[in-house]
Amino acid sequence: AQKVTQAQTEISVVEKEDVTLDCVYETRDTTYYLFWYKQPPSGELVFLIRRNSFDEQNEISGRYSWNFQKSTSSFNFTITASQVVDSAVYFCALSEAGDYKLSFGAGTTVTVRA
Amino acid sequence: DTEVTQTPKHLVMGMTNKKSLKCEQHMGHRAMYWYKQKAKKPPELMFVYSYEKLSINESVPSRFSPECPNSSLLNLHLHALQPEDSALYLCASSQGRTPGTDTQYFGPGTRLTVL
């Protein structure tokens, strides 16, 4: 069975600091997909990124960047120069090809203080 | 456009009431999902519909009854709920051509309170 671990429960930073969220996953499948979602206080889960198991390229999108390392089964997420609007719960998730189920980590609450 | 809409946004109901949650998407997605999320927890999968047929029921109590009238709509009928069913109910959709390979897009959720 797949499993996603987000060891950091809460992170609090001051605006403009960088923050890195850790995600470690377990799966026996060779084909799988990793996701990050953002859930602001309003409740909607906002899709941020999807990575498949065959693509280890790191990705940058504005202030967001992702580091995928199969060797350590990690898919970490960094917010550069954080802003108050980045305050939210961030979920890492994993799905395996052939299975509709999306396994979520416990989530990391990020609070950015002005 | 990656929009999934849900109505109502908030719902308060008594344990003897019957109510329905609605979800709609116009992205041509063929898989639709219901999740339940309690405070400070990740979403938990309840049901999956694929091409308007129920594919997954995660042993959800029968007081929750899903319905998929067409490829754009997903309903969740509620009856005789318990206070512990109070939660955020999220709907999601995905392309659905190959399970597990595509992105699930979520709606804003319905915050349900059972008195």
Side-chain angles (χ1 to χ4, degrees), chain B residues 18-91:
Chain B
K18 285 185 181 181
K19 296 286 185 183
S20 296
L21 309 184
K22 296 183 184 300
C23 174
E24 190 167 4
Q25 57 86 16
H26 293 288
M27 296 178 277
H29 289 175
R30 304 310 298 270
M32 296 187 76
Y33 311 74
W34 279 116
Y35 287 85
K36 173 182 177 180
Q37 186 179 22
K38 301 285 274 185
K40 298 190 183 297
K41 297 289 187 183
E44 296 176 2
L45 183 65
M46 299 174 72
F47 304 103
V48 179
Y49 272 83
S50 173
Y51 290 82
E52 293 114 69
K53 292 185 178 176
L54 185 63
S55 290
I56 295 177
N57 176 343
E58 289 287 282
S59 302
V60 178
S62 60
R63 57 185 184 270
F64 295 91
S65 175
E67 178 196 21
C68 190
N70 60 56
S71 60
S72 300
L73 291 173
L74 186 66
N75 298 322
L76 186 63
H77 303 296
L78 314 172
H79 174 55
L81 295 192
Q82 305 296 310
E84 59 265 28
D85 296 322
S86 298
L88 179 67
Y89 288 84
L90 293 161
C91 174

